[in-house]
Amino acid sequence: IMSKTPFNWVGNKYKYINIINSIINDKKYDYILDMFMGSGNIILNIDAKANTYIGNDKNKLLPKIYNVLNKADYEYTYSDIEGSLNKFNRFSNKEDYYIFRDYWNDKYLNNKFDRAFIIETILLLKMCSNSMVRFNPKGGYFNQGFRGLGKKKEFFTETMKELCLNELNGLIENMKNKKYEFLNADFMDYFDGVCGEEKGLLILDPPYILRKDMYDTDWTKKHDDKLFQLMQTTKDDYIYFNYLERDGLMNEGLKKFVDDNKLKIVDIN
């Protein structure tokens, strides 16, 4: 059963799940590791059979939330959402959002990942501008602005609240069907421990770099080279996402790697 996570943001791969599953269908692994998990839609919906399904991300937010939900023996109700909405004036103006964002950041930075925080995070990601999840690189706090009310008197409609609850409770229920682990580790520190005797499938969806001046402090050429080294040496199967070409720019390093290793390319977009 497909389960779209309510913790969605731009760039997630939910709409490509069927294509991904058609590639790896009927295969069996000791583990499947989604190294750059992001929203988690791939690891939560992948069809291949495995003893353990592992989601990893350098940002702590969703690994910690998913570890809470993975142990949850309850379901969320309408009153869970209403409690948060009433606490912040039902988000009837933009000032409510920024007061709420400060409150959310205090809990996030102090690791207060309680039951209410799960709902609060869904609300935050729905309201932030352009569905983009951004954290200040130095302070580590969430800094994305408000999407806006438009013509609405308050942000959350009845339909949106129902959708949030259905996705959240569906996610909790589906987690019971497989053995999941969620990690908060840096790829550069962690990947050497992946390639053991067991047979795994690696899901690799790193930041997409097309030219040298696009590298930043979070993803550098050193990261790219390390990832190419992993793919070159691992005995595991892997699926790697990136742009080979976009807007007239060719990813030369990736093109050479694909040509040298005679990799199969599936165009999903």
Side-chain angles (χ1 to χ4, degrees), residues 103-116:
Y103 159 86
W104 185 92
N105 271 314
D106 181 69
K107 292 183 75 171
Y108 171 72
L109 294 171
N110 288 286
N111 293 308
K112 295 179 181 177
F113 287 67
D114 56 16
R115 175 171 175 152

Side-chain angles (χ1 to χ4, degrees), residues 201-232:
L201 170 65
L202 306 180
I203 307 296
L204 307 171
D205 188 14
Y208 303 155
I209 306 299
L210 288 176
R211 57 178 192 254
K212 292 180 180 178
D213 62 348
M214 292 176 69
Y215 290 114
D216 58 29
T217 55
D218 286 331
W219 192 262
T220 66
K221 185 177 183 300
K222 185 177 179 181
H223 291 82
D224 251 0
D225 291 344
K226 194 87 166 178
L227 191 51
F228 284 142
Q229 179 190 349
L230 168 61
M231 292 188 286
Q232 185 76 53

